[in-house]
Amino acid sequence: MRKKFIAGNWKMFNEPTAASEFIKSYRKLIESDQTVMASIKEGKIEAAVFPPFVSISAAVQAKDNAPITIGAQNVHWEDFGAYTGEISAPMLKEIGATHAIIGHSERRHIFKEDNEMLNKRVKAALAKGITPIFCVGEVLADRENGKTFDVIKEQLTEGIKGVRSGDAAKIIMAYEPVWAIGTGKTASAEDAQEVCGYIRNELAKMFDEPTAQIVLILYGGSVKPSNARSILEQADIDGVLVGGASLQPDTFFDITKAGI
Ligand code: PGA
């Protein structure tokens, strides 16, 4: 039984004070709901937020011992060095981040991060004990030209090539169709399932079936309380990566509950 992983990608929102306030409110919401707390304790769901780098410490402090996972929105492959603007895995670990999003479409398209760079990030994160949330997704033109699966396959194989079998099960995958991010257009639950199922099959080919069955695969793109449940009900969708709707504690809490 794979758990449901409910992730909030805050992007460039929530400075440290706002991050702290968010976590305190969200924490109250989950701690006052016995069903949610029981599901978290039993390992059935996991709630995670990904603040901007500068707000990670504030979020970690505000959560105290509450069961909220805190991650980063990127991670570099070297521990230190002349890489202006980058943050490394040991730096993240020291301030309490355990996960990192890698290859988000905004990194791929706005900041031109390519498959080779992303592959280095994924392998380094795994080697240094940070769980990667590795994102793939097609743009609208790919989908309209019937190229969705080709694009996903290339991003997947290039992005995680060279990952050792034993490490592959630790990767969390996220399918985020670029045309559905921040647009209000969600992939239908069936379309999302089709691609997430495809990703699981490809993982079985690249590694093996037991590994593919362990990997958590998330869907992201205009997820909100009203569509989260139907998405989370799909056989190969183990969670959601939520942008806009993760910025309000009560809305993100409603999405968290949809994972139960
Ligand atoms: P959205 O963003 O929920 O605002 O569409 C999702 C994401 O980019 O992770």
Side-chain angles (χ1 to χ4, degrees), residues 10 35 41 64 69 106 115 125 141 149 164 188 229 241 255:
W10 287 355
T35 317
K41 280 198 189 117
D64 197 7
T69 296
E106 286 146 22
N115 288 331
F149 295 109
R164 289 183 299 121
S188 70
R229 197 169 290 279
L241 183 52
I255 296 175

Side-chain angles (χ1 to χ4, degrees), residues 9 11 104-106 176 180-184 220-223 241-245:
N9 171 15
K11 309 192 179 187
H104 187 277
S105 70
E106 286 146 22
E176 297 207 306
I181 295 178
T183 57
S222 298
V223 173
L241 183 52
V242 189

Side-chain angles (χ1 to χ4, degrees), residues 116-195:
E116 196 188 332
M117 198 185 279
L118 300 177
N119 181 241
K120 288 201 250 180
R121 294 191 193 278
V122 170
K123 285 194 290 200
L126 287 167
K128 295 161 206 278
I130 290 280
T131 301
I133 318 282
F134 181 57
C135 306
V136 295
E138 81 285 4
V139 298
L140 188 58
D142 297 328
R143 178 155 282 263
E144 286 175 347
N145 295 329
K147 294 225 171 78
T148 298
F149 295 109
D150 296 342
V151 169
I152 301 298
K153 185 171 182 164
E154 189 187 333
Q155 292 177 343
L156 183 65
T157 49
E158 293 294 311
I160 62 175
K161 75 176 169 206
V163 168
R164 289 183 299 121
S165 248
D167 279 345
K170 296 180 204 150
I171 300 175
I172 299 178
M173 290 295 311
Y175 167 54
E176 297 207 306
V178 182
W179 49 269
I181 295 178
T183 57
K185 284 186 205 155
T186 324
S188 70
E190 293 72 26
D191 286 345
Q193 159 58 27
E194 193 184 18
V195 179

